[in-house]
């Protein structure tokens, strides 16, 4: 695996889908300031597959939460779908998440009382206007992630890898601009991790933009770009030569 | 999400904890059932009372003789006995002085044994005028009622109450036969239809049981029995003189009832030294009964409100537990695009499903009120016939009346309770920080 460090984004011809400008995140704990993010600027292009790495406490999750509109930066801009979402109110942020973003979590985060197909459909409940072909779409996505035979199963009847596939299908159902994944293989064994990465790869090859946090270098190696964080700052951006 | 989906989701989530949800539902169910049953029983009682009062006549004014207190007796009484109550003169005075009275009917009443050979019954011998049957809505089943001619010729004729006829003439037809009262014989000219008791009204008018009555013309009563009643009480003879036991006056219009009653009261007060009479106005009683009913219903709603409040607290308790348990789900839904409002909605739907289910089941059980009362009645009358026959007729004949408003109110309040008590847990769910919620174990 060869990697080349470079400052300029390689595919500048592709559209920018998300862009953070000088964002900082300040946590104040008992009078002490913690700069979880200390000025981060980065553009994500259509079709990017970015892995964010860094030591524990370097600000990876904080950055991903900002990208996911689950949190607002203390200062700075975040352009998503052409709007600055850094200053939106809670309700608008919810709408932005529902419209532009898909989430994959380390611990799958499926809703236990719902079946596979119902879990995939959860984001559709919050679409405005509602998607009239929602059910057919869910079936197609279940097939895409190889779970057509398990539509009625509950999460606790599935293996970890299968649950993560459901989560990925769910992340696709609103046709998001960016898929955000926080350690998607963190709870999986090596073989299953590879399966999941193959699936993400396939999605990326089909044009999906993916931003993923990971600890594991061999997982990061499957991304096109690796961003290293250190103390809330970007330490390096590496483009994998795949 | 549409209405149906919301409902389904609510049910699904609640089915996660069947017992817990069932208990919360039970709390509401009991509250709603209590409202419907209590109101139905209350309405049944008040309907009964109103019917009984209406039977007395809304345009009538009843003046009854009552025995004065002991002290008053000592004053007015003499060695030969006491004399009290309404006088025949009172009757004439009423007719002359109260122009609104269209009909007035004097009545005399006494306990007497009536016999037909070996069959005997302790009856209430009523001396009355032909109007009596009309005013008391007493229908004749066989034969005829008393007539003006019977009055005029002091005939020894009698109309028997249904039960008296049954007792004295178990086999033969009583019409044309004679019954013996004291030394005298009376020809039975009619048998009255069965009739339920009229209202018991305070102390002034006891419930009138019509089933032991024997009716004879008032004039005959006076001639054969007279005004004096001699009773043996504690070894001494008591000699009472009563001219009339009751005068029922019927006025021309509902609106003149109150003023006529006032005139009657004044008139009687002028001629009676002691209070040996009482004026009863059924219309006033009706109004009182109506007020009582309203007060009763308010009281019931209060009780119901408290029981539903308790149910609501149960629901809130459960929803708070649910929200804590499902913190993760809330975080997931928030991440996937749910607004705070949508989370509030989701949990409110759950509480409404809980309380609404309780409400619907409560209404269903509420409708079982009638059958339940019937079953209880049959059980008691079969297992404890003595207890049963000692119960007052008001209770024996009680039919619960389910009030439509109570169903609407009970169901509405239960759903309202669900919403009110659901808001706090739902808001608590919605206000969670999505990041924190997602991290929740
Ligand atoms: N809610 C918070 N309140 C206070 N400080 C926080 C909060 N969240 C994160 N931090 C701090 O911000 C810094 C960055 O945290 P972050 O969770 O982004 O690290 P990370 O890179 O994801 O680490 P890990 O690899 O362990 O998940 C840490 O020093 C952390 O203590
Ligand atoms: Mg982290």
């Amino acid at each position: 695996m060869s990697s080349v460090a470079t400052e300029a984004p390689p595919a500048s011809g592709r559209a920018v889908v998300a862009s953070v400008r000088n964002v900082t995140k300040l946590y104040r704990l008992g009078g002490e300031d913690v700069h979880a993010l200390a000025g981060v600027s980065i553009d994500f292009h259509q079709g990017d597959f970015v892995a964010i790495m860094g030591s524990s406490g370097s600000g990876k999750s904080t950055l991903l939460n900002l990208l996911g509109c689950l949190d607002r930066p203390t200062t700075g801009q975040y352009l998503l779908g052409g709007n600055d979402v850094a200053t939106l109110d809670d309700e608008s942020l919810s709408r932005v998440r529902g419209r532009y973003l898909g989430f994959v979590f380390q611990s799958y985060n499926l809703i236990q009382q719902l079946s596979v197909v119902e879990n995939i459909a959860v984001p559709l409940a919050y679409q405005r206007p509602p998607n009239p072909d929602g059910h057919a779409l869910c079936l197609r996505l279940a097939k895409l992630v190889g779970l057509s035979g398990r539509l009625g199963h509950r999460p606790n009847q599935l293996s970890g890898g299968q649950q993560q596939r459901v989560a990925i299908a769910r992340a696709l159902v609103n046709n998001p601009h960016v898929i955000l994944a926080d350690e998607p293989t963190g709870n999986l064994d090596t073989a299953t991790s590879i399966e999941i990465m193959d699936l993400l790869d396939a999605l990326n090859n089909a044009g999906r933009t993916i931003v993923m946090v990971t600890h594991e270098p061999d997982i990061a190696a499957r991304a096109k770009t690796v961003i290293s964080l250190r103390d809330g700052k970007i330490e390096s951006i590496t483009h994998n030569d795949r | 999400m549409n209405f149906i989906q919301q409902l389904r989701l609510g049910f699904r989530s609640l089915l996660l904890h069947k017992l817990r949800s069932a208990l919360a539902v039970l709390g509401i169910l009991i509250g709603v059932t209590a409202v419907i049953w209590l109101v139905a029983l209350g309405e049944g009682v008040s309907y009964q009372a109103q019917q009984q009062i209406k039977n007395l006549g809304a345009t009538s004014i009843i003046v009854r003789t009552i025995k004065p207190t002991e002290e008053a007796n000592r004053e007015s009484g003499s060695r030969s006995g006491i004399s009290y109550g309404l006088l025949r003169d009172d009757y004439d005075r009423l007719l002359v002085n109260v122009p609104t009275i269209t009909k007035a009917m004097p009545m005399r009443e006494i306990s007497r044994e009536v016999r037909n050979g070996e069959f005997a019954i302790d009856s209430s011998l009523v001396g009355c005028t032909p109007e009596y049957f009309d005013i008391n809505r007493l229908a004749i089943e066989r034969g005829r009622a008393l007539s003006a001619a019977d009055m005029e010729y002091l005939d020894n004729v009698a109309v028997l109450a249904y039960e008296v006829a049954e007792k004295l003439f178990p086999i033969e037809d009583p019409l044309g036969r004679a019954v013996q009262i004291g030394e005298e014989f009376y020809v039975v000219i009619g048998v009255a239809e069965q009739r339920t008791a009229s209202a018991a009204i305070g102390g002034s008018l006891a419930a009138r049981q019509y089933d032991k009555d024997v009716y004879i013309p008032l004039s005959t009563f006076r001639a054969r029995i007279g005004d004096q009643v001699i009773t043996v009480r504690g070894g001494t003879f008591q000699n009472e003189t009563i001219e009339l036991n009751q005068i029922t006056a019927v006025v021309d219009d509902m609106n003149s009832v109150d003023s006529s009653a006032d005139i009657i009261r004044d008139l009687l007060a002028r001629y009676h030294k002691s209070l040996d009479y009482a004026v009863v106005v059924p219309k006033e009683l009706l109004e009182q009964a109506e007020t009582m009913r309203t007060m009763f219903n308010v009281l019931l709603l209060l009780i119901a409100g408290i029981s539903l409040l308790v149910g609501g607290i149960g629901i809130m308790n459960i929803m708070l537990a649910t929200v804590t348990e499902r913190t993760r789900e809330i975080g997931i839904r928030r991440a996937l695009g749910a607004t705070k409002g949508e989370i509030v909605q989701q949990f409110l739907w759950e509480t409404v499903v809980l309380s609404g289910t309780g409400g619907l089941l409560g209404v269903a059980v509420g409708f079982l009120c009638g059958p339940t009362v019937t079953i209880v009645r049959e059980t008691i009358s079969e297992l404890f016939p003595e207890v049963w026959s000692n119960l007052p007729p008001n209770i024996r004949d009680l039919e619960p009346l389910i009030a439509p408003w109570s169903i609407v109110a009970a169901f509405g309040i239960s759903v309202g309770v669900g919403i009110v008590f659901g808001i706090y847990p739902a808001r608590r769910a919605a206000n969670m920080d999505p990041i924190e919620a997602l991290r929740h174990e």
Side-chain angles (χ1 to χ4, degrees), chain A residues 27-29 34-37 54-63 65 71 182-183 213 215 229, chain B residues 433 435-436 439:
Chain A
Y27 288 112
R28 200 156 264 154
L29 278 181
V34 180
H35 286 270
L37 291 177
S55 56
S56 188
S58 58
K60 303 184 296 290
S61 295
T62 305
L63 179 57
N65 287 340
D71 208 348
D182 197 347
E183 308 215 22
V213 165
H215 268 120
L229 288 184
Chain B
D433 175 29
I435 298 172
E436 294 287 331
R439 231 185 260 148

Side-chain angles (χ1 to χ4, degrees), chain B residues 336-375:
Chain B
L336 300 184
T339 60
K340 285 184 181 183
E342 282 161 337
I343 297 293
V344 167
Q345 255 184 41
Q346 182 190 342
F347 282 92
L348 270 188
W349 271 108
E350 272 183 41
T351 51
V352 168
V353 165
L354 268 183
S355 62
T357 305
L360 281 181
L361 292 177
V363 169
V365 179
F367 276 113
L368 295 180
C369 186
T372 308
V373 166
T374 309
I375 289 170

Side-chain angles (χ1 to χ4, degrees), chain B residues 1 47 67 86 102 128 138 211 221 271 284 299 338 374 393 401 406 422:
Chain B
M1 270 193 285
Y47 176 78
K67 196 170 180 171
L86 298 169
T102 54
C128 57
L138 204 60
D211 59 356
F221 192 109
Y271 291 94
E284 284 172 5
L299 195 74
T374 309
L401 282 180
S406 73

Side-chain angles (χ1 to χ4, degrees), chain B residues 93-155:
Chain B
R93 277 194 284 266
L94 290 189
L95 280 184
V96 172
N97 293 308
V98 191
T100 47
I101 291 179
T102 54
K103 259 195 295 195
M105 187 205 58
M107 190 262 258
R108 178 82 175 92
E109 185 177 16
I110 193 171
S111 289
R112 276 287 186 274
E113 190 192 56
V114 180
R115 41 171 63 255
N116 166 33
E118 69 206 84
F119 301 108
I121 183 169
D122 285 325
S123 80
S124 162
L125 185 63
V126 176
C128 57
T129 57
E131 289 91 40
Y132 186 89
F133 299 89
D134 217 18
I135 290 177
N136 286 301
R137 288 169 209 182
L138 204 60
I140 298 296
E141 198 203 42
R142 268 175 297 160
R144 63 173 179 86
L146 299 175
S147 70
D150 298 329
M151 295 287 294
E152 201 172 323
Y153 302 122
L154 310 185
D155 283 342

Side-chain angles (χ1 to χ4, degrees), chain B residues 9-32:
Chain B
L9 185 65
F11 267 113
R12 292 273 296 277
S13 306
L14 293 170
L15 285 179
L16 282 181
H17 298 279
K18 293 190 187 64
L19 181 62
R20 204 166 75 177
S21 303
L23 289 175
V25 165
L26 189 65
I28 295 290
L29 185 153
I30 290 173
V32 169

Side-chain angles (χ1 to χ4, degrees), chain A residues 52-203:
Chain A
I52 300 173
M53 293 197 72
S55 56
S56 188
S58 58
K60 303 184 296 290
S61 295
T62 305
L63 179 57
L64 205 73
N65 287 340
L66 289 180
L67 291 173
C69 292
L70 290 165
D71 208 348
R72 274 174 290 234
T74 310
T75 63
Q77 276 188 322
Y78 176 22
L79 300 170
L80 184 65
N83 305 310
D84 184 4
V85 298
T87 55
L88 292 182
D89 65 8
D90 190 88
E91 182 173 345
S92 311
L93 282 181
S94 302
R95 294 277 172 242
V96 167
R97 290 195 292 268
R99 186 170 313 151
Y100 298 115
L101 303 171
F103 288 88
V104 179
F105 304 93
Q106 177 175 0
S107 47
Y108 328 127
N109 276 341
L110 301 179
I111 297 175
Q112 295 301 314
Q113 66 266 35
L114 301 183
S115 68
V116 164
V117 66
E118 287 166 332
N119 263 292
I120 296 175
V122 167
L124 293 176
Y126 307 115
Q127 298 292 304
R128 295 287 178 278
N131 184 340
D133 306 320
H135 190 66
L137 176 60
C138 293
L139 295 183
R140 247 186 299 136
L141 289 172
K143 193 172 174 201
L144 178 75
V145 298
L147 289 171
S148 286
R150 304 245 173 191
L151 296 177
H153 287 215
R154 295 294 158 90
N156 60 15
Q157 297 167 317
L158 301 177
S159 73
Q162 287 167 332
Q163 292 190 53
Q164 198 60 300
R165 287 161 184 277
V166 177
I168 290 169
R170 182 179 68 185
L172 291 169
V173 79
N174 58 341
N175 194 20
H177 288 194
V178 184
I179 294 174
L180 300 167
D182 197 347
E183 308 215 22
T185 59
N187 284 11
L188 300 174
D189 62 32
T190 316
T192 320
S193 297
I194 290 170
E195 278 175 37
I196 293 297
M197 289 315 296
D198 288 345
L199 182 55
L200 290 180
D201 247 357
L203 292 174

